[in-house]
Amino acid sequence: MADADRTAILGGTFTPIHNGHRALLHKAFQTASHDGSGDGHVIVGLTSSELATETRSDPAHAEQLGAYDDRHAALDAELGQLGESYTATYEILQLEDTQGPAATRADVDALVASPEAKAQRRAYELNQQRRDAGLHPLEIHTPPFVVAEDGTRISSTRIRNGEIDVHGRLLDASE
């Protein structure tokens, strides 16, 4: 595929948006953007509320994610701000299944995946599915984990539990 048509894709629930998510989003824009002709494109799959419920080990955790429309608005605002530094455009699609459009779209070049073992396994399986369907495998781009002040990775769960803020600063449990 020509550089002008370079497309990177990633997906998730993105709530609350934290510095780990920002690292993934920056990697997607970096992967799609380039100095040559064309601008590149980033596709962000935002997990539907139904899929979030299906994929959580405890479905009650999905309720903590908030409404899809609210998550979409927050992600769109974040992408608009991040995207100002890059040439690539972006779009947000609703994810209704764990593979999303990355499994079937021939115009996608790269997948941005978290360093978590589960995400890496899904990326491998997705590429196998693409090969089986006669599509080219995607480049896999993985930024490193972003760690909080305590050296443990930033996660939405830690934020929701009140351990850290979205930037990885430790919160005082007595507050």
Side-chain angles (χ1 to χ4, degrees), residues 29-69:
F29 276 108
Q30 290 166 354
T31 300
S33 301
H34 49 81
D35 294 330
S37 63
D39 295 327
H41 190 63
V42 173
I43 300 171
V44 182
L46 182 60
T47 307
S48 70
S49 297
E50 294 79 16
L51 181 60
T53 301
E54 290 172 22
T55 57
R56 295 289 173 275
S57 56
D58 181 352
H61 290 164
E63 295 173 15
Q64 298 174 348
L65 301 177
Y68 177 85
D69 290 341

Side-chain angles (χ1 to χ4, degrees), residues 42-174:
V42 173
I43 300 171
V44 182
L46 182 60
T47 307
S48 70
S49 297
E50 294 79 16
L51 181 60
T53 301
E54 290 172 22
T55 57
R56 295 289 173 275
S57 56
D58 181 352
H61 290 164
E63 295 173 15
Q64 298 174 348
L65 301 177
Y68 177 85
D69 290 341
D70 294 341
R71 292 185 290 119
H72 187 282
L75 181 59
D76 190 39
E78 188 72 32
L79 287 167
Q81 188 173 16
L82 286 175
E84 290 177 1
S85 301
Y86 299 98
T87 60
T89 57
Y90 72 88
E91 68 181 299
I92 302 170
L93 302 176
Q94 186 167 321
L95 284 180
E96 299 292 347
D97 62 73
T98 57
Q99 299 297 315
T104 58
R105 285 187 54 166
D107 63 333
V108 175
D109 303 290
L111 174 70
V112 176
S114 163
E116 292 174 296
K118 186 165 126 178
Q120 293 295 308
R121 187 172 48 257
R122 281 186 182 160
Y124 173 82
E125 290 167 355
L126 184 136
N127 266 342
Q128 190 58 54
Q129 184 178 347
R130 287 179 64 87
R131 283 184 195 95
D132 293 346
L135 296 170
H136 68 276
L138 301 176
E139 299 168 11
I140 306 299
H141 294 262
T142 305
F145 281 125
V146 177
V147 297
E149 287 178 333
D150 62 359
T152 303
R153 74 179 181 89
I154 294 175
S155 73
S156 297
T157 300
R158 292 187 71 202
I159 295 165
R160 282 192 294 275
N161 289 344
E163 298 173 39
I164 58 173
D165 69 11
V166 297
H167 302 290
R169 291 182 291 247
L170 296 175
L171 298 177
D172 184 355
S174 66

